[in-house]
Amino acid sequence: MIKIALTGGIGTGKTFISKNFIKMGIPVFYADEEAKKCYQIPEIIDTLRTLFGKTIFTRNKLDFKKMAKVVFCNPKKRELVNQLIHPKVMESFDAWSEKQNSPSVMLEAAVIFENDLAKFFDMVIVVDAPEEVRFERIRKRNPSLTEVEIRARMAAQMPQEEKCRLADMVIYNG
């Protein structure tokens, strides 16, 4: 089975492109959706509470907006969360892949290179788009984010130019 990673910075249109691969018969596993499930695991919640205290919780429930403010502004804390979540996501992807009846499968995730995950794939495809297009897509999708918050999220990821250099293939989605 061929394992393909589809990656690119926030706002490049990975999900839009992934739907075209689904139409071609390639099953797609969405890392963000799986990561959200991981945040429901009691051990992960306990670890996050130990790492960050009560600052990222509202009424004893994990508050993703509060966590985003902490994580996107602090690379060390972001790395701690990534080390906690991404191994679980990859375990789920592997289990899911084994159940697929297809010669190839795809994982869609923004941070393949940032988390040293490319080595687990036969091919890495990067979706690219101009920064101003990405910014507007993010603003439309998340109107409550400020310009500073959007820029912080974009800056938290590897620069697009570097992702494109590391890719086996680039899909321009401008």
Side-chain angles (χ1 to χ4, degrees):
M1 174 180 291
I2 297 170
K3 291 185 177 181
I4 305 165
L6 183 69
T7 192
I10 185 172
T12 56
K14 295 176 297 299
T15 302
F16 173 79
I17 296 297
S18 75
K19 290 176 182 175
N20 290 296
F21 282 100
I22 291 170
K23 288 177 186 173
M24 293 187 288
I26 298 174
V28 177
F29 183 91
Y30 294 96
D32 282 353
E33 289 176 14
E34 189 61 31
K36 287 176 185 168
K37 292 177 189 173
C38 291
Y39 289 113
Q40 305 303 314
I41 300 171
E43 302 83 50
I44 289 180
I45 292 171
D46 291 343
T47 302
L48 291 171
R49 189 173 278 116
T50 300
L51 291 171
F52 304 114
K54 296 178 183 176
T55 59
I56 62 169
F57 291 86
T58 300
R59 289 186 221 100
N60 243 1
K61 186 173 179 178
L62 183 62
D63 186 321
F64 288 102
K65 288 183 181 182
K66 288 181 179 180
M67 188 170 84
K69 286 184 182 191
V70 171
V71 170
F72 286 112
C73 296
N74 188 316
K76 289 180 182 176
K77 290 182 179 182
R78 184 172 51 253
E79 180 61 28
L80 290 171
V81 173
N82 285 341
Q83 289 173 0
L84 186 64
I85 298 298
H86 289 289
K88 298 267 188 214
V89 170
M90 289 305 293
E91 285 175 24
S92 295
F93 171 69
D94 287 338
W96 173 87
S97 295
E98 290 175 16
K99 296 176 185 172
Q100 302 308 305
N101 243 355
S102 176
S104 53
V105 294
M106 178 176 279
L107 176 127
E108 187 250 81
V111 290
I112 295 294
F113 295 119
E114 293 88 335
N115 290 301
D116 196 30
L117 301 176
K119 62 189 173 199
F120 298 110
F121 297 92
D122 300 298
M123 172 184 266
V124 178
I125 300 171
V126 170
V127 180
D128 192 24
E131 187 173 325
E132 61 274 6
V133 171
R134 295 173 56 210
F135 185 87
E136 285 308 314
R137 287 176 181 162
I138 299 163
R139 186 182 292 249
K140 269 187 187 172
R141 187 175 60 209
N142 302 308
S144 65
L145 292 178
T146 67
E147 180 175 347
V148 170
E149 290 170 323
I150 292 171
R151 299 277 178 215
R153 289 178 183 207
M154 291 172 82
Q157 296 175 346
M158 179 185 286
Q160 273 300 113
E161 302 79 30
E162 192 172 343
K163 286 185 183 200
C164 289
R165 277 194 305 277
L166 295 170
D168 295 304
M169 178 187 294
V170 177
I171 297 174
Y172 182 75
N173 187 31

